[in-house]
Amino acid sequence: MNRFERQVILPGFGIDGQAKLRNSSVLVIGAGGLGCPILLYLAAAGVGKIGVADGDKVALSNLNRQVLFGEKELGKNKAETAARYFQEKYSDIKWEVYPEFITTENAQELISGYDLMIDGTDNFPTRYLVNDACVLMGKPLVFGAIYQHEGQVSVFNLGENACNYRDLYPKMPSALEIPNCAETGVIGVLPGIIGNLMALEAIKVLSGLGKPLSNRVLFFNSLTSQTYEVEISPNSEAQEAMPASFASFEIMDYELACEGIKQLTWSDAMKKMNHDVAFVDVREPGEMPPLECTGLLKIPFSSLSTQFGRLADSEEVLFFCQSGIRSQNAARQLQEAFPDKKIYSIKGGINALKTN
Amino acid sequence: MPNTIHIKAFGMVAERIGATDLELAHCLDSEALLETLRAKFPELTTTKFSLAINKKLISGNQEIPENAEIALLPPFSGG
């Protein structure tokens, strides 16, 4: 007997199904609310090689749903912590750990080593990036995402005439339209359920069991326990927006494409500072910590629309706020009024400056 | 009921409409339906979502059969 006996005796799965899992490799992108349950069940099922990519660190607010982590792991990298957990549990899986976020620079190298990708990330730019990289490499992708009490699951890029994320959502949305769970909250069981559905789809794709959710998307509502299934078909117009090659993928700015506003890190922003650039704090008076430097303009977001005149003479404008959301909004508003200006928002706002 | 369409709203769209299910008078095609919805719920103009007619995702403008079920499907980003 081995640890997979109960699935090997299952009609339709059997020794063949187990051998296929054993010889498969899966890359789980994002070890958060979705990634944790996905990893738990793929490891338990005996997928031969599992890669985990996540540049994020465990935070206290993650623990209601990211069940691989505990109080002792606060501040540690999620990919490394998750792999360590499983290395103590099972001896028969090869683990690859990537303590970094997926980017246009590392995507091709990361993905090339795996049969199947699973997207457990938490933002639109990364979801389009992962989708496009998988399409370019012809690799199947299990997709899942949540919003408050709802989730959606699909399998992209599998087989002939296969759909991908761009067929489902041709227009790239912005985080301002659809916030993620860091902003709107979530009960931990929901990503648990959606992550398990994703793990199940992965096992179906790898072993040949059943019918994967290819060219279909499944919606689940945890408040009503209802599901809703929709058929998707390839949309040639949507595919035209896809980068045609890895050369164009690598120079694509997914954040700019989603948000419509170029985002800068603090270090890039510092390099831009000179007297031609307006540097604007859009936080309301009293938000902490205050930032004081020469030339800094303070225009609270609530009164921005009446103070555009103060920015009329600046060719370039750099906005920041507390977390990077209001500054994007501010940048969009100003861009509408002055389409020719170069306008930027600083990613992560003052919070990002504090952690650096 | 004749000349009716059944709307099923998801995620942020349901929030903005204030309901997950809704009955509307029949609209000829999906463009006309979107116009009706945006007039009735102005907050929908700033949210992107896909549309399915009788559980099939559509692209571009499409005719709506009588008594059709239309799903309004916004993208989710959380994970």
Side-chain angles (χ1 to χ4, degrees), chain A residues 32-34 120-124 127 145-148 150-152 165 167-169 171-173 177-180 219 228-232 235, chain B residues 8-12 14-16 20-21 46-52 54-60 69-71 73-79:
Chain A
L34 294 172
T121 64
D122 65 355
N123 63 83
F124 289 121
R127 290 185 177 282
I146 57 171
Y147 175 75
Q148 292 194 348
E150 293 171 69
Q152 49 187 212
Y165 193 49
D167 296 305
L168 181 57
Y169 292 114
K171 290 184 191 132
M172 296 171 93
E177 293 172 46
I178 320 268
N180 68 19
F219 284 76
Y228 194 81
E229 193 187 307
V230 170
E231 208 179 290
I232 327 169
N235 174 349
Chain B
K8 286 190 100 57
F10 292 78
M12 173 72 94
E15 238 166 77
R16 299 211 162 167
T20 54
D21 292 86
T46 55
T47 309
K48 291 189 186 80
F49 54 91
S50 292
L51 227 69
N54 293 330
K55 301 196 169 181
K56 285 191 172 141
L57 200 84
I58 62 160
S59 55
E69 180 175 277
I70 314 279
L73 309 163
F76 304 157
S77 69

Side-chain angles (χ1 to χ4, degrees), chain A residues 27-322:
Chain A
L27 177 64
V28 178
I29 307 165
L34 294 172
C36 286
I38 293 167
L39 288 165
L40 275 168
Y41 278 93
L42 292 187
V47 170
K49 177 183 158 189
I50 303 178
V52 200
D54 200 326
D56 200 12
K57 295 185 177 99
V58 179
L60 191 59
S61 64
N62 298 151
L63 300 189
N64 80 320
R65 61 194 185 285
Q66 302 185 17
V67 292
L68 291 176
F69 314 129
E71 290 162 0
K72 286 183 186 151
E73 277 106 25
L74 297 182
K76 292 184 180 160
N77 175 270
K78 291 183 184 179
E80 287 169 350
T81 308
R84 203 170 307 124
Y85 172 87
F86 289 110
Q87 280 157 349
E88 282 180 22
K89 239 172 121 108
Y90 310 116
S91 58
D92 51 6
I93 297 170
K94 184 173 171 4
W95 289 91
E96 297 285 349
V97 182
Y98 310 99
E100 58 199 275
F101 293 110
I102 192 165
T103 64
T104 50
E105 282 137 43
N106 65 16
Q108 190 172 8
E109 201 188 326
L110 279 179
I111 288 173
S112 62
Y114 296 88
D115 302 321
L116 174 72
M117 275 15 90
I118 307 189
D119 179 1
T121 64
D122 65 355
N123 63 83
F124 289 121
T126 310
R127 290 185 177 282
Y128 280 89
L129 186 159
V130 169
N131 176 76
D132 292 358
C134 288
V135 173
L136 285 170
M137 301 194 78
K139 302 257 186 175
L141 169 66
V142 175
F143 164 86
I146 57 171
Y147 175 75
Q148 292 194 348
H149 300 288
E150 293 171 69
Q152 49 187 212
V153 183
S154 187
V155 175
F156 298 138
N157 226 18
L158 181 69
E160 298 276 299
N161 220 18
C163 290
N164 64 65
Y165 193 49
R166 287 183 182 269
D167 296 305
L168 181 57
Y169 292 114
K171 290 184 191 132
M172 296 171 93
S174 131
L176 302 173
E177 293 172 46
I178 320 268
N180 68 19
C181 44
E183 292 146 45
T184 68
V186 64
I187 289 174
V189 183
L190 177 72
I193 290 169
I194 300 302
N196 271 285
L197 286 172
M198 293 166 76
L200 182 62
E201 289 306 308
I203 288 170
K204 282 155 68 181
V205 170
L206 297 174
S207 69
L209 187 72
K211 278 171 68 179
L213 280 167
S214 178
N215 291 18
R216 296 183 287 154
V217 56
L218 181 74
F219 284 76
F220 173 77
N221 184 320
S222 62
L223 292 182
T224 61
S225 301
Q226 282 183 323
T227 59
Y228 194 81
E229 193 187 307
V230 170
E231 208 179 290
I232 327 169
S233 39
N235 174 349
S236 54
E237 246 173 79
Q239 294 312 312
E240 279 167 25
M242 263 262 325
S245 66
F246 261 105
S248 44
F249 171 81
E250 276 163 13
I251 55 166
M252 176 117 176
D253 183 338
Y254 280 86
E255 273 169 357
L256 177 63
C258 278
E259 311 299 347
I261 292 298
K262 178 95 178 156
Q263 298 198 61
L264 298 181
T265 60
W266 278 101
S267 62
D268 288 338
M270 297 300 179
K271 287 177 209 147
K272 279 203 168 290
M273 299 288 183
N274 62 53
H275 50 268
D276 296 328
V277 180
F279 183 41
V280 189
D281 184 350
V282 293
R283 294 178 300 164
E284 303 299 316
E287 286 187 64
M288 301 302 279
L291 189 72
E292 301 296 344
C293 64
T294 45
L296 175 65
L297 293 171
K298 295 191 176 184
I299 309 180
F301 184 72
S302 56
S303 64
L304 177 70
S305 56
T306 61
Q307 299 197 53
F308 281 171
R310 290 174 69 186
L311 301 168
D313 295 333
S314 307
E315 272 179 35
E316 291 189 49
V317 182
L318 256 168
F319 285 109
F320 74 90
C321 63
Q322 198 70 22

